[in-house]
Amino acid sequence: MSEDSRRRRARAAIPVLLVALLALLAPGCRVVESGSPQDAPPSAAPTRHKHARPSGRRPGVVNIETEQTLNGTRAAGTGIVLTASGLVLTNNHVIQGATAIRGTDVDDRRGYPAQVVGYDRAGDIAVIRLSGATRLKTAAFASAGGVAVGDTVTAVGNAGGKGGTPTVVTGKITALEQSVTARDDSTGTSERLTGLIETNAPIRPGDSGGPLLDTSGKVIGINTAASAGFPVKDTQKREDHRGYAIPSDRALEIARQIQRGEASSTVHIGRTAMLGVKVRPNGRSPGALVAELVPGSPAEAAGVPVGGVIVAFGDAAVDTPSTLTNLMLAHHPGDAVRIEWTTSQGDRRAGTVHLTEGPPQ
């Protein structure tokens, strides 16, 4: 998982003690937001205490490295091989903001440049393609519908973003159908994740997008977040580690939609369009306040100023930065779109922008 703050974006969830992790390499698992009540009580699902042995690592794991030139950072995470021709499943936050992606098949140590096929921001799932890959060993999946509290599980991933042989850690399923909030201190945004598998396996930054395996070595979940030692309900401090994984059934459903090329309100297919602004909320007023312009961007060419407020994009009103992002995701590079903004003096302006290609959102 990754980012060097309480939430690391290269894509696994991070304990608060890992705050000082490498400044330039942001390993990727998010950290669950601290200081708030426990989001969901333990599941009432049946409990069984198996003495089955952990599975160990199985084929079909990829180390992922990304460059984020707009932010001047790098990140690292993990992926799961879906097809022998190079389709790889990972978390969306592993590739979010990436201007270059590279995947290394840990079974033969071969590296490949990668492109984004599509992603679901709400579901935190993405599919990338390793260019030129052939005859990769694929991962085996199983339904998460049969798992129960107490089952033995194994988490595999690029812990610490170090690359090389994946780390393998074991634990038990401690709860099902969990909901957590992961916060990114670098952007101030939070993401709500629901329906997750909770485990006490020590998932670390960099493990995001990696497999959670059952005792037969089949993928039942995709590691996405973790926490340790955070205050929970009734301000009691919980010392045990908690890792969270997206159930395999849900992840595969989204991945198949992406493979079919079916865009939706949450799923974006193909290249991502860029307007070239960094925005923030406009106080109590509607709109997206322009905090920064990317040099040479479509927004700069159209005359949108820093301090201006974008209030319309295409035929739709823009009330928040999130609305602007969602409207952008319905477009692709090369599209011409009319936008409207107000200046700091209150004048209303309009212009047509020709969107260019930017990093995945």
Side-chain angles (χ1 to χ4, degrees):
M1 309 204 200
S2 119
E3 288 315 331
D4 88 286
S5 61
R6 285 192 344 237
R7 181 194 179 199
R8 307 285 175 167
R9 301 195 56 113
R11 327 325 200 190
I14 313 176
V16 71
L17 294 179
L18 295 180
V19 148
L21 203 63
L22 307 172
L24 294 179
L25 179 63
C29 229
R30 283 88 52 79
V31 177
V32 174
E33 194 167 38
S34 62
S36 59
Q38 185 178 6
D39 288 290
S43 170
T47 301
R48 58 174 178 256
H49 297 286
K50 286 184 165 184
H51 297 288
R53 297 180 62 183
S55 66
R57 186 175 76 81
R58 289 294 184 270
V61 177
V62 171
N63 289 335
I64 297 175
E65 296 180 353
T66 71
E67 294 182 9
Q68 302 179 16
T69 56
L70 295 180
N71 296 325
T73 61
R74 295 181 295 134
T78 310
I80 304 169
V81 179
L82 293 174
T83 69
S85 60
L87 285 182
V88 172
L89 170 68
T90 188
N91 284 138
N92 178 61
H93 73 265
V94 171
I95 55 92
Q96 186 176 17
T99 50
I101 305 171
R102 187 170 182 82
T104 301
D105 179 7
V106 300
D107 293 309
D108 64 12
R109 306 296 184 184
R110 292 189 62 182
Y112 306 88
Q115 292 76 43
V116 176
V117 178
Y119 52 90
D120 183 340
R121 297 174 68 241
D124 198 18
I125 291 294
V127 175
I128 63 175
R129 182 183 297 277
L130 306 185
S131 298
T134 59
R135 295 184 291 181
L136 300 183
K137 296 178 181 179
T138 59
F141 287 79
S143 172
V147 304
V149 173
D151 284 357
T152 298
V153 289
T154 299
V156 180
N158 183 12
K162 297 177 180 179
T165 302
T167 57
V168 177
V169 294
T170 62
K172 302 283 188 181
I173 292 177
T174 51
L176 300 173
E177 294 295 332
Q178 296 297 284
S179 298
V180 299
T181 299
R183 183 160 62 94
D184 184 351
D185 286 344
S186 67
T187 63
T189 60
S190 295
E191 183 177 21
R192 184 71 170 174
L193 304 171
T194 62
L196 304 180
I197 299 169
E198 183 185 278
T199 175
N200 59 11
I203 295 171
R204 294 178 53 204
D207 290 339
S208 283
L212 186 70
L213 307 173
D214 64 14
T215 53
S216 66
K218 293 183 178 179
V219 181
I220 57 170
I222 291 79
N223 305 324
T224 192
S227 65
F230 289 141
V232 291
K233 193 173 183 179
D234 300 324
T235 69
Q236 297 280 324
K237 188 169 183 178
R238 182 167 165 170
E239 298 293 345
D240 58 302
H241 183 94
R242 290 171 291 159
Y244 296 93
I246 300 169
S248 56
D249 309 78
R250 187 197 315 166
L252 285 176
E253 181 181 2
I254 297 171
R256 288 168 183 145
Q257 179 180 346
I258 293 171
Q259 285 179 262
R260 293 192 300 266
E262 297 177 359
S264 69
S265 59
T266 62
V267 172
H268 180 82
I269 303 296
R271 298 180 301 156
T272 301
M274 184 178 75
L275 179 59
V277 294
K278 293 184 179 180
V279 295
R280 61 173 182 249
N282 187 31
R284 296 183 178 181
S285 300
L289 177 64
V290 178
E292 190 175 335
L293 285 168
V294 175
S297 66
E300 184 182 63
V304 178
V306 171
V309 178
I310 298 174
V311 294
F313 186 87
D315 297 327
V318 173
D319 54 354
T320 66
S322 294
T323 298
L324 179 60
T325 298
N326 291 334
L327 292 170
M328 282 285 300
L329 289 175
H331 290 272
H332 289 87
D335 288 355
V337 183
R338 186 177 185 274
I339 65 171
E340 296 181 25
W341 67 91
T342 58
T343 68
S344 56
Q345 291 77 35
D347 298 327
R348 193 175 182 103
R349 304 285 173 79
T352 298
V353 295
H354 295 270
L355 302 176
T356 188
E357 182 171 358
Q361 297 298 310

